[in-house]
Amino acid sequence: MTTTNYSILELKDLLNDLENLSTCLMGLSAVSEHIDSSSYHRLVDDQYSLIQKINSYASMLRAIDSGEL
């Protein structure tokens, strides 16, 4: 049996990934005529999934910190 280790550093890593992906999407939108639309939409979907994961992770950290878990 393994124990999941939740930490602020892991949340920071997820936020860095989101920042990198968001920066990439902003740059790609400037040259949208050269980008395959399905690939771009897949990246946007990945961005949304990452935001949901970050939100869940932050909620878990909050619950751990408050003693709910």
Side-chain angles (χ1 to χ4, degrees):
M1 178 183 245
T2 61
T3 302
T4 305
N5 183 19
Y6 293 95
S7 73
I8 296 296
L9 290 176
E10 291 181 39
L11 179 59
K12 184 179 179 289
D13 289 342
L14 289 171
L15 289 168
N16 284 335
D17 290 346
L18 178 60
E19 180 181 17
N20 291 335
L21 181 55
S22 297
T23 301
C24 176
L25 285 169
M26 286 174 34
L28 290 175
S29 66
V31 291
S32 60
E33 65 275 0
H34 301 290
I35 305 299
D36 177 55
S37 65
S38 65
S39 296
Y40 182 81
H41 291 300
R42 191 168 43 247
L43 286 173
V44 171
D45 288 343
D46 289 347
Q47 181 186 36
Y48 181 72
S49 295
L50 189 52
I51 290 169
Q52 289 181 316
K53 185 175 182 178
I54 289 168
N55 186 38
S56 297
Y57 199 93
S59 296
M60 182 66 69
L61 287 175
R62 191 174 336 135
I64 290 170
D65 187 52
S66 69
E68 294 175 19
L69 293 179

